[in-house]
Amino acid sequence: MASLFFQRAGWALQITRTSRSISVSFSTAFPRRKVQRAITSGNSLRSSQGIASRGRHHQADLRTNFRTTKLYHAQQARAATTSAAPTSSAEPPPPTSERIQLSAEEAVRTDDLTSGLDDKPIVLDENARQVDWARSFHGLSTEAFSKEAAEALLAPIGLDDIEVKPDGIVYLPEIKYRRILNKAFGPGAWGLAPRGETIVTAKAVTREYALVALGRLVSVSRGEQDYFSPEGIPTAVEGCKSNALMRCCKDLGVASELWDPRFIRKFIAEHAKEVWVEHQQTQKRRKIWMRKDDQVKYPFKIYTPPTQGSGRSNNSKY
């Protein structure tokens, strides 16, 4: 009996020859497994070479399978980790009927103006050449206006331009303030610059404005206007601006007579009257002030209180 033994780092081959047969023992380290086969052949050399070749191919297949299995498990582990972690590039879910309906409602929804208006003045850069009228006092009291402008601003107002409110307050309509400014400086040479955002309270709107004329700050004042329903807030915002213009014009001397108590008392005595009126729908009666040359307007009408000899009770509604 003869025996051959081959050994390497990863495998071992042992061939044993007897008189009639050859015994081959092959073992590898991937995994530890022995392959034993008994081959009967008349040509021992050919059998040995074939067995050795098949052993080498078997070892290569084992290594390939081992590496493929390890790579497969690694890929599966990475895939599981990736699917478990949230991704920022995931596409949003497709829109449903409820989502589409909600988006349509958001599109037509309007903001409640009673919570305030997002109209803060634009803040310019400190290095910009434009004047930031929201904060600047540029040109205030640097020099007097021209003689022509001063005459237009300080001219006495006509008695026909003065109006009387039902509570007896005399005033000049805001459009006439604008006419005086246009006459003094020219259209486009003056303007109102907001100095803050609009403040909306439960019943009123207020905002601060600056009157600018010929590129100079003239006056700063805060306007106000009452409103009775949220739908009237836009109109109140415009009235607030006109109220601020009227107050700013005081510093220019425009319609200064309306702030003089003696002039007011004289005008009321000569050009105003107090009358009884009755509301045509509610039949409520009260006294109101009006100009002597004006007529009572709808929904009121002139009411004549009964005299003592009319036979009616003195405990009437008036």
Side-chain angles (χ1 to χ4, degrees):
M1 180 180 69
S3 177
L4 281 175
F5 185 82
F6 299 94
Q7 184 176 4
R8 292 292 185 269
W11 56 274
L13 177 65
Q14 183 178 3
I15 303 174
T16 304
R17 178 185 177 187
T18 61
S19 59
R20 295 185 177 182
S21 64
I22 295 176
S23 177
V24 178
S25 177
F26 179 78
S27 63
T28 63
F30 308 101
R32 294 180 178 274
R33 181 183 299 174
K34 290 185 178 181
V35 180
Q36 296 183 354
R37 292 184 181 179
I39 304 174
T40 58
S41 173
N43 192 344
S44 60
L45 181 58
R46 186 181 303 171
S47 300
S48 301
Q49 291 178 352
I51 293 172
S53 177
R54 285 193 297 270
R56 287 194 298 270
H57 288 297
H58 180 67
Q59 180 184 6
D61 293 340
L62 290 175
R63 290 182 179 179
T64 302
N65 294 336
F66 178 77
R67 293 174 182 174
T68 304
T69 304
K70 186 177 182 181
L71 180 61
Y72 172 76
H73 287 296
Q75 290 176 350
Q76 291 294 323
R78 285 196 299 268
T81 305
T82 305
S83 61
T87 58
S88 58
S89 61
E91 296 182 358
T96 60
S97 59
E98 296 180 356
R99 190 184 302 274
I100 294 175
Q101 183 179 2
L102 181 60
S103 301
E105 293 177 356
E106 292 176 353
V108 300
R109 183 176 56 191
T110 57
D111 294 335
D112 186 5
L113 298 181
T114 57
S115 61
L117 304 178
D118 188 11
D119 55 355
K120 295 182 181 180
I122 300 176
V123 179
L124 301 179
D125 187 6
E126 294 290 344
N127 299 324
R129 294 185 178 181
Q130 300 92 342
V131 179
D132 186 4
W133 294 116
R135 298 179 298 176
S136 175
F137 292 87
H138 173 74
L140 183 64
S141 71
T142 54
E143 61 177 337
F145 290 111
S146 64
K147 182 179 179 180
E148 294 77 9
E151 290 178 353
L153 295 172
L154 301 177
I157 57 176
L159 298 179
D160 293 339
D161 295 334
I162 302 176
E163 300 291 342
V164 181
K165 293 184 178 181
D167 55 0
I169 297 178
V170 296
Y171 70 100
L172 189 68
E174 54 86 16
I175 188 60
K176 297 184 178 181
Y177 285 95
R178 287 176 164 85
R179 291 175 182 174
I180 296 174
L181 294 176
N182 286 334
K183 184 178 180 180
F185 306 114
W190 66 274
L192 284 176
R195 304 272 295 190
E197 61 181 320
T198 303
I199 299 176
V200 181
T201 64
K203 297 181 179 180
V205 173
T206 178
R207 192 178 192 182
E208 189 178 57
Y209 287 91
L211 177 61
V212 181
L214 302 179
R216 297 162 46 189
L217 181 71
V218 175
S219 178
V220 177
S221 183
R222 178 172 291 276
E224 60 180 344
Q225 181 65 42
D226 296 337
Y227 69 93
F228 301 98
S229 65
E231 291 76 12
I233 292 180
T235 303
V237 171
E238 186 66 20
C240 173
K241 180 180 178 181
S242 298
N243 183 251
L245 174 64
M246 177 194 67
R247 294 178 176 180
C248 287
C249 285
K250 289 192 298 182
D251 294 343
L252 293 175
V254 179
S256 60
E257 299 91 334
L258 300 181
W259 308 96
D260 186 352
R262 289 185 176 271
F263 176 86
I264 294 174
R265 289 194 294 266
K266 182 179 179 180
F267 180 84
I268 290 293
E270 296 178 357
H271 302 279
K273 62 181 179 180
E274 191 178 23
V275 297
W276 278 98
V277 295
E278 182 181 29
H279 198 282
Q280 298 186 28
Q281 296 179 355
T282 63
Q283 283 76 45
K284 291 184 178 180
R285 302 158 188 168
R286 65 188 183 98
K287 282 185 176 182
I288 64 170
W289 283 94
M290 58 184 300
R291 287 180 60 104
K292 289 182 178 180
D293 54 357
D294 279 351
Q295 301 293 328
V296 176
K297 300 177 179 61
Y298 183 85
F300 296 102
K301 66 178 181 178
I302 293 292
Y303 172 74
T304 303
T307 60
Q308 293 290 339
S310 61
R312 298 184 62 178
S313 174
N314 292 333
N315 298 327
S316 58
K317 292 184 179 180
Y318 65 90

